[in-house]
Amino acid sequence: MIAIIDYDAGNVASVEKAFRKLGRKAEITRDPAVILKADHVVLPGVGNFGDAAGNLRKYGMDEVIRDVVRKEIPFLGICVGMQLLYEGSEESPDVPGLGLIRGQVRRFPGGEGRKVPQIGWNSIFMMNGDELLDGVPNGAFVYFVHSYYGKAENTNCVRAVCGYGPIFDASIQKGRVFATQFHPEKSGNVGLRILDNFVHVK
């Protein structure tokens, strides 16, 4: 069973629908017992970093996520769910992230014809292959909606990058922790391949 963490950060229903399309059982929950018994755990998210981090702590999901990581249950963060893995964000400078990835989340600079937020399809380029991106072609187009981007201190955890002005972390992995800045649930067949890869991670 796939546990999708519900912390009032939106986008959970579309993630659940994508797993159903793959024939997988997914449950939207904030019950620690359900999450810690799951085979795989997903943290989706859209919106403000500070609000999302505050909700994680309000519902005790920050400690549950740490337990998931300690138990080595495969974990996937999506969009803001990825940004929360870093130490902090320029969007909410006084709010700490989970600190599972050393690095910061920064705001895209404007100008040069770029609109902020980045909304739409963009290419990702592989850095260090992993199970999550197995079978995804280099340069594949995926769907983004974000004004902020993560930059890990150690590039060994970066699995794919994207360019929108700055080059930024599009996908990361550390142990059984995976994350994408883009939305696989909105990225067509490429996104479904990524989600299917995730549920096959043991």
Side-chain angles (χ1 to χ4, degrees):
M1 190 272 291
I2 302 155
I4 301 173
I5 296 177
D6 179 12
Y7 63 116
D8 297 339
N11 208 43
V12 292
S14 58
V15 174
E16 181 195 25
K17 183 178 178 181
F19 282 117
R20 283 205 315 267
K21 190 169 184 178
L22 292 169
R24 300 287 178 167
K25 180 183 178 184
E27 182 174 342
I28 299 170
T29 182
R30 63 175 69 117
D31 183 335
V34 173
I35 295 168
L36 292 171
K37 287 181 180 176
D39 300 308
H40 299 79
V41 177
V42 181
L43 182 71
V46 293
N48 178 273
F49 179 95
D51 292 344
N55 284 345
L56 278 186
R57 293 181 174 93
K58 178 174 75 172
Y59 294 122
M61 292 297 100
D62 55 335
E63 289 307 315
V64 172
I65 290 169
R66 295 183 198 285
D67 288 340
V68 166
V69 174
R70 280 192 287 268
K71 287 168 65 77
E72 297 188 336
I73 301 170
F75 175 92
L76 175 63
I78 297 173
C79 196
V80 171
M82 170 170 161
Q83 294 179 9
L84 290 166
L85 302 179
Y86 294 83
E87 295 171 291
S89 173
E90 290 180 351
E91 186 173 19
S92 307
D94 299 325
V95 179
L98 293 167
L100 298 174
I101 300 292
R102 293 186 62 85
Q104 294 290 324
V105 177
R106 303 171 184 169
R107 181 173 172 81
F108 282 119
E112 298 181 15
R114 285 187 308 276
K115 294 182 178 180
V116 179
Q118 176 186 201
I119 300 176
W121 298 82
N122 205 340
S123 299
I124 55 172
F125 297 93
M126 308 309 168
M127 296 285 287
N128 307 289
D130 68 354
E131 301 114 302
L132 193 67
L133 300 176
D134 183 50
V136 175
N138 200 35
F141 280 88
V142 292
Y143 192 80
F144 292 88
V145 182
H146 61 134
S147 299
Y148 294 81
Y149 64 93
K151 199 73 175 175
E153 286 184 11
N154 187 345
T155 58
N156 287 341
C157 72
V158 179
R159 298 295 181 254
V161 297
C162 182
Y164 193 69
I167 304 297
F168 64 89
D169 303 345
S171 181
I172 55 176
Q173 180 200 354
K174 184 178 180 183
R176 299 292 84 189
V177 176
F178 301 82
T180 64
Q181 178 59 64
F182 57 89
H183 289 270
E185 76 282 5
K186 297 181 179 178
S187 296
N189 289 334
V190 168
L192 289 175
R193 174 62 185 256
I194 290 168
L195 293 178
D196 191 53
N197 286 343
F198 174 64
V199 298
H200 282 93
V201 172
K202 302 301 182 186

